[in-house]
Amino acid sequence: MAFVDHLHRRGVGVILDWVPAHFPRDPHGLVYFDGTHLYEHADPRQREHPDWGTLIFNYGRHEVANFLLDSALFWLDRYHADGLRVDAVASALYLDYSRKPGEWVPNQFGGRENLGAVAFFRRMNELVHGTYPGAIVAAEESTSWPMVSRPTYLGGLGFGFKWNMGWMHDVLDYMSLDPVHRKYQHNRLTFGLLYAWTENFVLPLSHDEVVHGKGSLLGRMPGDEWQQFANLRALYTYMWTHPGKKLLFMGGEIGQRREWHHDRSLDWHLLGEGPYHRGLQRLVRDLNHFYRRERALHELDADPAGFAWIDCADWEQSVVSFVRRARDAGDVVIVVCNFTPVPRYAYRVGVPRPGYYRELINSDAGEYGGGNLGNAGGAWAESTPWQGQPHSVAITLPPLAVLALKPV
């Protein structure tokens, strides 16, 4: 409680990782609690998670569901948490999760949906949002289950947000490729926008991406040290300007080299080793301020009116460009991404209006550890129609970099 209060006094919110999808079989815990299968199912086909060796709550029992509902409300009521990230939602929703035929029991209608879990999640979200308006409830849900973050009165599960696991996998796979091969996987950059408005998404570069042999985010970037950091800066800038809320696990902001481990501190000493780590930290800081300052980046985050491609088809040069819009349609940010180590000079980008376009963010800036190639602060639009836009700017695209520009 004191820790949460300490953070709140400094303007930092707290979202807890809440785990109602399974529980451990430790003898001092809930398993076989009163000598019977009280919290878990008696049938082993319903009782155990084959992946994790843990047990599954029997959501169909009112006593068990009420115990879990009280748990969710307890953290918000007594500890003043600002929200809950609900772990492993998919594993609770599907009766056949990680199971082979014959290893699971269908529901009363013969389907694979865990109807008790569905009812529980809906009731939980109704209670949390009704009792604590404004609380964040985000589902770690990795399948195509529909309407996870839609209201229960529309048939949804009622969560406020859903982790966008598809975007995460596509973009990390793309960024791990040598840039010479990226043009053949261009769709990995663009596919996420085909379903971006079906849920209220969070873009998660989470703990799961830097453990169990996956290495650090920096270690997954191709090329020499300079290119690795340039790739990581480009990834973050693309992520911060892309629709969806942002989640970055600790260590990502300083370019942690080693895989994260719960028994070790972060390698803070890296901030004193050369310009790259400190520069990456500065970029993440500036991206946070940029995101809060520019309404176009967040006001219509879950609305297709807030985003439009300028050009998503320049696969040959691995360049994409798009516009983000605020509720005031004239308040826009133009984003241009170059995912190759080749600088592009006089690269023409269509823009919606005339005037001067100021360079707000350049991930290749010298203060971020980049090569400091750019546009000397911005560029003037010309009355040359381009890419379906009435005007255009001819700009310098730095290598492995993302630019954000705004008409002023």
Side-chain angles (χ1 to χ4, degrees), residues 4 49-50 59 95 122 134 137 157 172 174 191 195 203 207 214 235 252 255 257-258 262 275 287 296 324 330-331 398:
V4 173
H49 262 304
Y59 305 103
L95 295 167
R122 286 176 173 164
V137 189
L157 292 182
L172 285 183
Y174 178 87
F191 180 66
Y195 60 85
L203 309 181
H207 64 290
K214 295 175 185 173
L235 167 60
R257 293 183 182 276
R258 296 190 297 177
H262 56 80
L287 287 173
R324 299 297 311 275
D331 187 350

Side-chain angles (χ1 to χ4, degrees), residues 324-346:
R324 299 297 311 275
R325 294 191 180 95
R327 289 193 182 94
D328 174 1
D331 187 350
V332 301
V333 170
I334 306 297
V335 181
V336 191
C337 314
N338 178 14
F339 289 108
T340 69
V342 180
R344 313 283 179 190
Y345 298 100

Side-chain angles (χ1 to χ4, degrees), residues 81-256:
D82 300 286
L84 303 169
R85 174 265 190 187
V86 185
D87 181 70
V89 170
S91 73
L93 291 174
Y94 295 97
L95 295 167
D96 63 344
Y97 186 87
S98 284
R99 298 178 190 275
K100 299 175 184 176
E103 295 179 350
W104 58 283
V105 180
N107 63 34
Q108 65 196 73
F109 303 108
R112 58 199 284 251
E113 301 81 11
N114 187 332
L115 301 180
V118 172
F120 164 73
F121 284 128
R122 286 176 173 164
R123 181 63 179 146
M124 182 270 295
N125 282 310
E126 289 171 351
L127 274 176
V128 168
H129 291 302
T131 310
Y132 300 99
I136 292 171
V137 189
E140 187 213 11
E141 204 285 316
S142 54
T143 74
S144 57
W145 187 284
M147 300 200 296
V148 171
S149 59
R150 293 294 182 261
T152 57
Y153 59 80
L154 295 178
L157 292 182
F159 288 94
F161 297 96
K162 171 178 170 170
W163 279 24
N164 194 338
M165 311 294 279
W167 178 91
M168 177 272 296
H169 285 298
D170 283 347
V171 171
L172 285 183
D173 286 349
Y174 178 87
M175 294 302 299
S176 67
L177 293 171
D178 187 299
V180 74
H181 300 301
R182 285 178 178 169
K183 65 181 181 179
Y184 305 112
Q185 300 293 328
H186 195 71
N187 62 304
R188 291 186 181 273
L189 280 182
T190 59
F191 180 66
L193 271 303
L194 295 178
Y195 60 85
W197 324 116
T198 60
E199 302 278 4
N200 301 327
F201 278 122
V202 175
L203 309 181
L205 296 182
S206 74
H207 64 290
D208 283 327
E209 311 323 313
V210 292
V211 294
H212 304 317
K214 295 175 185 173
S216 66
L217 290 179
L218 180 67
R220 294 163 79 166
M221 299 296 111
D224 58 21
E225 184 180 49
W226 190 93
Q227 290 190 0
Q228 282 186 308
F229 276 93
N231 274 302
L232 199 54
R233 293 193 303 268
L235 167 60
Y236 290 168
T237 311
Y238 177 63
M239 175 179 172
W240 257 252
T241 53
H242 189 286
K245 305 308 177 191
K246 325 305 172 191
L247 191 159
L248 181 64
F249 187 64
M250 58 185 182
E253 79 282 10
I254 63 172
Q256 176 91 358

Side-chain angles (χ1 to χ4, degrees), residues 10-13 240-241 245-246 283-299 326 331 333 360-361 406:
R10 286 152 181 80
V12 179
W240 257 252
T241 53
K245 305 308 177 191
K246 325 305 172 191
L283 174 65
V284 173
R285 175 201 63 190
D286 289 352
L287 287 173
N288 284 334
H289 289 300
F290 173 53
Y291 183 79
R292 294 186 65 179
R293 183 179 69 247
E294 295 299 330
R295 293 181 298 125
L297 297 181
H298 60 257
E299 272 194 353
D331 187 350
V333 170
L360 301 181
I361 288 285
K406 182 173 183 175

Side-chain angles (χ1 to χ4, degrees), residues 225 229 254-255 257 266-282:
E225 184 180 49
F229 276 93
I254 63 172
R257 293 183 182 276
L266 295 181
D267 294 334
W268 294 110
H269 64 274
L270 294 173
L271 292 174
E273 297 181 4
Y276 297 138
H277 298 279
R278 179 72 69 181
L280 183 65
Q281 187 187 47
R282 288 193 185 109

